[in-house]
Amino acid sequence: GAKRSRVDFSFLTYDFGPCFIAKDGATMAGEPLEHSEDDRYERVELVATNRDDIDCLISTTFTREPWLDVQLNAAMIEAGSSLRIPIVFSPREMCDYMQRV
C-alpha cells in the first residue's frame, strides 16, 4: 500500500514581523531617492528535506496573492536531498496578514 512520505520542513509557521510599506515614489529619511525592488519585499526560504529512501514529488495548490508568492513549481526531491522554496512577502497596506500555504 501507499505510505506517507517523510518530508520535513524547516518551519511550519513564519512571522515576517513589522515591515516597511513602500508606496511608489516614497523614500525613508536618509535613503537615496531610488529604491530597488529588494526594498519592497521580505523574503524567506522554506527548506523541504526528503528523509525518505525514495524520491518525492512536491507541489502546492497555493495561488499567488498580490502580497504573497510561494515560488514553487512541482519538483522532485531526491532521497536524502533538500529543496529551497523562496517565499516572498510584499505588504501593500498597513494591516495584519495571515495566510495558509
Side-chain angles (χ1 to χ4, degrees):
K3 68 174 188 171
R4 187 179 178 125
S5 65
R6 294 179 15 211
V7 175
D8 289 337
F9 296 95
S10 56
F11 56 85
L12 297 178
T13 61
Y14 190 84
D15 184 351
F16 283 97
C19 299
F20 177 71
I21 301 168
K23 301 283 185 194
D24 288 338
T27 60
M28 291 180 64
E31 290 193 2
L33 292 176
E34 293 184 21
H35 281 278
S36 69
E37 282 296 311
D38 292 353
D39 293 335
R40 298 183 186 186
Y41 65 80
E42 299 288 328
R43 175 186 161 121
V44 67
E45 284 190 338
L46 173 64
V47 180
T49 303
N50 183 358
R51 304 222 183 266
D52 214 331
D53 53 2
I54 58 171
D55 297 351
C56 177
L57 178 67
I58 187 169
S59 64
T60 183
T61 58
F62 178 76
T63 303
R64 181 180 182 177
E65 299 283 351
W67 49 273
L68 188 66
D69 185 18
V70 177
Q71 298 177 343
L72 172 65
N73 295 320
M76 191 67 72
I77 306 175
E78 294 180 17
S81 296
S82 296
L83 175 68
R84 295 181 175 279
I85 305 162
I87 300 175
V88 180
F89 176 55
S90 309
R92 303 290 191 216
E93 59 187 66
M94 199 161 130
C95 67
D96 289 334
Y97 290 89
M98 186 175 292
Q99 181 69 49
R100 181 173 292 226
V101 178

